[in-house]
Structures are given as structure tokens and as C-alpha cells.
Amino acid sequence: MPKDQFIPTYKDFNHSLKHLHLKPVSPDRPFYIFSWQYTENRKISYPLSRQDYYDITFFLEADFSHQMNASVNPIRNHTLHLLTPGQAEHFETKTVCRPSGFAIYFKPEFIFATAQRRLVLSELPFLKASRNNIFYLTPEESANIQVLFSKMIEEQDQGPGAGDIIRHYIFILLYKLKHITPKQLVPAIPEESLSLADRFEELIEKNFLQISAIDQYAALLHVSPNHLSETIKKKTGKSPKQFLQEAILLEAKLLLKQDNLSISEIAFQLNFHDAPHFSRFFRKHQQQSPLEFRKQYKSKTKP
């Protein structure tokens, strides 16, 4: 089995719309905003997958568990989730229900068309694929977000210029979410260090299965391995090797949650020499074997 079939990645919005029982749209659209409210009970199943676009979904009414990367979070009324390109997602309603809400899908090139990518990512760190972005809103916050989505829906089909207006509304929404996020006091970091750390995290997210040597990441970033290690440690408190190990461990957890994959297949996907090497790595970082983790996950998710 080709490696990219373990967790498939989809490039257009219709993958998401299909599993929400909604009509398809043109695959060339750079963004799509919609609201939904089912008129009849439905059981929704969204298989584990990745996508190449951003997904901000705002649930007015909902009651189910949602998996983003390896974290499982409850989705309730007035919950918003932000999924970034490359993140793995899965959810399934245990019973039939009538969820309602709003969503906007947009491609990275759309949001970064008029903004510097590094500046945006430094100001809005939850746009990185390593974050689990679940926002539980107050009634007042929920009402404000609902107004924004309604305005975007009104504007999206207004012809030339609609894209620019939608882009501004998206940034307004993102900065509102930034203020909802609990503020953390962090030491001031030089802009050069911040940019290098962000670029390193992006490289890890995209290449951890292909590149395992920190020296190679340093070469791609045109810095020495020592400079890379010092900068990453200063910015995050973790070493580059820890970032790489965490990315591999996260992918391992996602794959272990799929019953149809053997431990040997997962070891192959993650570029370990064999299953015993993978098992030793997993036990070292998770304090349990891969099979113990799978068994524990299955026991927690039983109806």
C-alpha cells in the first residue's frame, strides 16, 4: 500500500462537503462560506483524513467528539474549530442529530495573497498545523462570530471584489479568535529568531517522514546545526530533535487508531527498520507499547 493512502490528503472542498451531506462546489474556488441546519436527524461520519485548505467551522448546535491530530475534544453548542492544512481530522456522531452552524473553507494562497506569511503566522500562531484549535465561546462571543459569518455569506457571490472583502473578514475573524485565546506571557524574541523557528516548524510538519537528520533541516534553512538548535531552544524550550520526535509520535498515534493497520505497516509508514524498533521508540516516548495504546483508545471510544 502506498504511504499516502494510510491517511489520505484532499485538495478541494468537496471532500468535506460530501461527508456533511452538502452539495459540491467548483474545485477551483479559493474560498467557500456556508451555513447549514439539517431539517431531519442524521448520523454524520467523517473519516480520518487531511486536507490542503483551512477549515473554520462554527457549531451553533452540536453534541459529539472531534479528533484533531491525536487530541479528542467535545464539540458542544457554540464551539468553533480551526483546522489548518496538513492536520488530521476525524469525527462521528454516536447517534442521529441535527447539528447546525457555519463554516468557511479557504486555500492558503488566498489568505496569504496580500500578507506576509511569516508576519501572519507570528501574530496568529494558531494557523500552524501543530496547534489544536478548539474555541468554546460565550453567548456574547458566539453572537459576534455569527454576525461575521452572516456578512461573509452575503458578500461571497457579489462579483468582482468579493474576494478582497472576504479576505478582510477572515482576518477580522482570526484576530477575534486571537483575543479569545488565553494570553500567555512569553519573553520577547528577535524577529530573526522568530522567523527561523517558524520556518523550521513548517519544514518539520511537511517533511518529518522524509527527513530525519537535523543537519539536513539546518542546511535547508541555510544555518549551522548549532545555530538552529540554539534558536529553537530559545524560542520554544525544546530541541529540534524533540520537535521531530513529537511529529513522529503524533503520526504514530493517528495510525494506531485505525484498526486496519498492523504494527508492521505503521512501522513502515514511519520509516522504522522494523516493528520492534518502532515499538521501542513508542514505549520510550509514550510509556506504553503501541498495542497497549491501541487497546486503551478502543476502550475509551466504545459506545
Side-chain angles (χ1 to χ4, degrees), residues 69-131:
N69 286 341
S71 298
V72 178
N73 302 283
I75 300 294
R76 303 290 182 257
N77 295 352
H78 309 296
T79 300
L80 183 147
H81 86 220
L82 190 159
L83 196 72
T84 63
Q87 282 187 306
E89 177 185 31
H90 163 71
F91 65 84
E92 183 173 354
T93 56
K94 298 296 184 183
T95 59
V96 292
C97 58
R98 295 187 186 183
S100 64
F102 297 84
I104 177 168
Y105 304 151
F106 56 93
K107 297 179 180 178
E109 58 269 25
F110 173 71
I111 195 65
F112 295 120
T114 59
Q116 292 187 357
R117 180 179 178 85
R118 291 181 195 169
L119 177 61
V120 172
L121 291 176
S122 67
E123 292 192 2
L124 303 169
F126 49 76
L127 290 180
K128 298 178 183 178
S130 57
R131 306 301 177 99

Side-chain angles (χ1 to χ4, degrees), residues 247-258:
I248 295 170
L249 184 64
L250 174 59
E251 190 76 2
K253 290 179 180 179
L254 290 171
L255 296 173
L256 284 166
K257 291 178 180 181
Q258 300 188 73

Side-chain angles (χ1 to χ4, degrees), residues 271-282:
N271 291 323
F272 286 90
H273 294 301
D274 51 35
H277 277 86
F278 166 61
S279 295
R280 285 195 291 272
F281 168 86
F282 193 88

